[in-house]
Amino acid sequence: MLWIMRVSGFFSAAMVMVVISPSLQSFPPAEAIRSSHLDGYLRFPAGIADAGARGRFSFRQALPFRNAEECGGPGDNNTVCNPSFVHVAITLDMEYLRGSIAAVHSVLQHALCPENVFFHFLVSDTSLETLVRSVFPQLRFKVYYFDPERVQGLISTSVRQALEQPLNYARNYLAGMLEPCVRRVIYLDSDLVVVDDIAKLWRTGLGSRTVGAPEYCHANFTKYFTVRFWSDPRLARTFAGRRPCYFNTGVMVIDLVRWRRFGYTRRIERWMEVQKGGVGGGGRIYELGSLPPFLLVFAGHVAPIDHRWNQHGLGGDNVKGSCRDLHPGPVSLLHWSGSGKPWVRLDSDRPCPLDALWAPYDLYGPAP
């Protein structure tokens, strides 16, 4: 329960709710990090320091981490191709940078073998590499530049402007951006924290599937597409012979070998072209951002992963960002999908109760 007990007294009422809840099963941090204290403050690289809404801010440096004894070391092969590495991909941009850093921190805190976790950061601003190296000096990672122009002409308007950002579509291109020796990757959104050993998710079997994710078959799948989509027999029969279920693309295990072999990047792009009217015409077929093309390609063909790995929706709906409760069942990952982000609500002194579970991983603070 250590990861819960670190939350400040300001959120004690919320923590009582969480601790007594039988649905929340927490996991202690690995031996890798021995203390909750954090080293000094680190300022943004030049050009970033004044980007915060409240003036100058900085990130604190996380303590060093190391593998537990049973892990051993990663060996002499420190390149991205080391077969013992767990590969995690996540985006970095200014708007969600605070969340991305917290997500990385949470992975390291709970990993039994944090030295074996290799991060792949997708960025549209390469200056962020300096920041990452300052906050996590020991971290094994590589930065990949994603050119916004690659998808700018394919993006259509969405219910929320954040869903229209080009970097939100970078997950579609992982198979081509990462080295060919990287055969599998875990993709994580920037608005979540992991409270279990990421290696457990890494070892999930996908069978003959390309993508694994928690599925939610009770959700109203039809609402993710427009009347135009369902009224056009050519489009509606896309799901013929499939039992399509909603899944959240913010947490996925991806078999990159199969993805490359079957050309899934291009398949997703084709649906984006249909949405834009470049193929077939006739109007919009969905209202959300990058999710519907994934559903069109993979729904009904997803390797199901335990729901504990994506307790999603904690950010509320896509408009008001209202507070949400946890879903029943154990928890390995908490995901603030939706419009409400915990760092925004905490800073505005209007937090939801569960935002207290994100706070211990936040390394962001005012410059001294």
Side-chain angles (χ1 to χ4, degrees), residues 2-8 11 15 36 38 60 102 105-106 109-110 193 195 334 336 346 354-364:
L2 294 178
W3 70 278
I4 293 179
M5 294 172 65
R6 289 177 185 150
V7 183
S8 68
F11 300 104
M15 299 321 301
S36 62
L38 298 164
R60 302 183 294 275
H105 192 208
S106 72
Q109 285 247 13
H110 294 280
V193 292
V195 293
L334 296 146
W336 279 261
L346 288 167
L354 292 178
D355 295 344
L357 303 181
W358 179 88
Y361 305 101
D362 186 16
L363 294 176
Y364 196 49

Side-chain angles (χ1 to χ4, degrees), residues 82-343:
N82 189 327
S84 69
F85 284 162
V86 171
H87 294 278
V88 178
I90 190 168
T91 60
L92 293 179
D93 69 346
M94 284 308 303
E95 184 175 0
Y96 286 90
L97 182 60
R98 186 171 173 183
S100 298
I101 295 296
V104 172
H105 192 208
S106 72
V107 170
L108 297 174
Q109 285 247 13
H110 294 280
L112 188 66
C113 309
E115 294 180 82
N116 292 4
V117 182
F118 193 102
F119 284 89
H120 303 264
F121 294 116
L122 313 177
V123 307
S124 54
D125 180 354
T126 55
S127 68
L128 294 176
E129 179 174 356
T130 302
L131 174 64
V132 173
R133 202 170 299 281
S134 298
V135 178
F136 303 107
Q138 295 175 271
L139 194 68
R140 302 181 190 278
F141 73 92
K142 184 173 180 178
V143 168
Y144 303 79
Y145 175 71
F146 181 74
D147 187 354
E149 293 297 321
R150 190 167 187 175
V151 293
Q152 199 73 63
L154 294 173
I155 297 175
S156 55
T157 56
S158 182
V159 295
R160 190 156 53 90
Q161 188 174 4
L163 301 177
E164 301 171 22
Q165 299 306 309
L167 203 57
N168 197 42
Y169 294 81
R171 73 196 81 186
N172 302 3
Y173 298 90
L174 281 168
M177 297 175 69
L178 274 54
E179 287 77 356
C181 65
V182 180
R183 302 174 60 85
R184 169 183 283 217
V185 70
I186 297 171
Y187 177 82
L188 298 178
D189 266 354
S190 299
D191 53 359
L192 55 78
V193 292
V194 177
V195 293
D196 199 350
D197 188 352
I198 195 72
K200 297 178 183 177
L201 180 59
W202 175 257
R203 292 192 293 265
T204 299
L206 301 184
S208 61
R209 304 302 192 190
T210 302
V211 170
E215 290 186 297
Y216 302 89
C217 295
H218 62 277
N220 181 4
F221 189 82
T222 60
K223 73 177 183 179
Y224 293 100
F225 303 95
T226 64
V227 172
R228 182 245 164 164
F229 176 87
W230 293 114
S231 62
D232 186 330
R234 297 172 303 167
L235 296 172
R237 65 169 170 257
T238 299
F239 297 108
R242 296 154 65 178
R243 183 173 180 262
C245 296
Y246 163 78
F247 67 96
N248 181 283
T249 56
V251 180
M252 297 184 291
V253 180
I254 304 173
D255 183 332
L256 295 176
V257 176
R258 289 184 58 85
W259 186 294
R260 294 165 182 141
R261 182 186 308 158
F262 295 107
Y264 284 114
T265 294
R266 184 60 193 139
R267 296 190 192 189
I268 290 171
E269 286 181 333
R270 288 195 187 103
W271 281 115
M272 295 171 70
E273 290 167 357
V274 172
Q275 167 78 347
K276 292 287 287 185
V279 178
R284 298 165 64 88
I285 61 173
Y286 53 80
E287 299 298 341
L288 290 174
S290 60
L291 169 64
F294 263 86
L295 296 179
L296 286 160
V297 173
F298 291 111
H301 299 306
V302 171
I305 292 176
D306 195 291
H307 288 179
R308 71 191 305 150
W309 285 106
N310 196 352
Q311 282 267 348
H312 69 288
L314 304 185
D317 58 57
N318 276 315
V319 179
K320 297 179 181 179
S322 55
C323 294
R324 296 279 181 88
D325 293 327
L326 289 172
H327 308 295
V331 178
S332 291
L333 185 149
L334 296 146
H335 188 184
W336 279 261
S337 56
S339 65
K341 302 307 174 188
W343 56 91

